[in-house]
Each structure stands twice: as structure tokens, then as C-alpha cells.
Amino acid sequence: MGVRSVAGLLLFLNFCMYTIVLGIGSWAINRAIDHGFIIGPGLELPAHFSPIFFPMGNAATGFFVTFAMLAGVVGVAAAISGLNHLRHWDAGSLSAAATAATISWTITCLAMGFGCKEIELHIRNSRLRTMEAFMIILSATQLLYIAAIHGAPSTSRI
């Protein structure tokens, strides 16, 4: 199996996982909006109001979901850039794909850190556990994808 096909397989896997993260994160944000703080008739905020309060998790859930959603959006964009690189497989498309993948990986690692904090605090539901697991797996597979596209010799068109 060539490096190009390994990169393609990792790219497809990452795209699917980032899409699932976006779906679960969207559910979490929708639930937080629907079941968060209710502003009273006098339009006064409650004493302990937080704009990232999530009723289904713990203190780290808001940060985790926010950064996981950001990682998901950037990850899907990086997958689109990576698809263009797989199609051309030359030095000209490598820089865009590698840059997008690296930015996606760093945001994914940040979200994974908040996911680890959320695991440490214990109170969360099964969907959040799934999203945590996906962020941990994505931090590894995205790094492998970056190594795969850098490890292969690419042809340059002059």
C-alpha cells in the first residue's frame, strides 16, 4: 500500500470523524441553548450566568464543546484541502494541505485537552464521551495524516 493511499484512507477517516464531532457538538449547543439559563421578564441575567453553560456536563463541557466544534469545522476544511492535494499530489498543493492539516491538528489537540479535563471531572453523558473519544483518536490520526503527506516524495510541475 503506497503512501498516497494511506494518506487517502486517513483523510477519509478524519473527514468522517470530524463530521460526527460536528453533529454531536451541534446537538450539545442546541441543548445548551434550549435548556440553559432562562432570562427573567425583567431581562436580568442570573447571578452565576455563563455564556458557555452546558446543562448535560461539567465545568469543562462548554470549553470542550466550543473547541471541538472549531476543530471540526477546521478539520473538514483541511480535509477538502487534503483532497485537492491527493488529486494533484505535487509540491504546489502540499503546502496548503499541510498547513490546513497542521492548524486542524493543533486545534484538535486543544479540544482534546479540554476533553481530558472533562473526563477528569466525571459528570457527562454518552454523547459527550463519544465526542471525547473521537477527539483523542483524531489527535493521533491527524498527526499520522500530516506525517503521511510529508513522508512521500511529491513531484513538482515546473
Side-chain angles (χ1 to χ4, degrees), residues 115-132:
C116 291
K117 182 63 177 177
E118 189 177 44
I119 291 169
E120 181 185 329
L121 296 177
H122 296 295
I123 304 169
R124 62 206 195 279
N125 64 18
S126 61
R127 290 181 183 152
L128 291 174
R129 286 186 193 128
T130 302
M131 202 157 84
E132 292 160 3

Side-chain angles (χ1 to χ4, degrees), residues 19-32 65 69 131:
T19 304
I20 293 169
V21 165
L22 283 173
I24 297 171
S26 298
W27 164 83
I29 288 177
N30 185 49
R31 178 122 190 252
V65 171
M69 289 287 291
M131 202 157 84

Side-chain angles (χ1 to χ4, degrees), residues 6-19:
V6 169
L9 179 66
L10 286 169
L11 184 68
F12 179 72
L13 175 68
N14 289 348
F15 177 78
C16 292
M17 290 181 73
Y18 278 124
T19 304

Side-chain angles (χ1 to χ4, degrees), residues 54-121:
F54 283 75
M56 75 294 256
N58 54 45
T61 302
F63 296 105
F64 171 64
V65 171
T66 301
F67 282 100
M69 289 287 291
L70 183 61
V73 170
V74 175
V76 167
I80 293 169
S81 177
L83 184 62
N84 184 48
H85 175 60
L86 281 181
R87 204 176 59 172
H88 295 290
W89 202 256
D90 61 3
S93 63
L94 174 64
S95 62
T99 301
T102 303
I103 292 169
S104 173
W105 176 69
T106 56
I107 298 171
T108 300
C109 287
L110 181 61
M112 182 198 67
F114 284 119
C116 291
K117 182 63 177 177
E118 189 177 44
I119 291 169
E120 181 185 329
L121 296 177

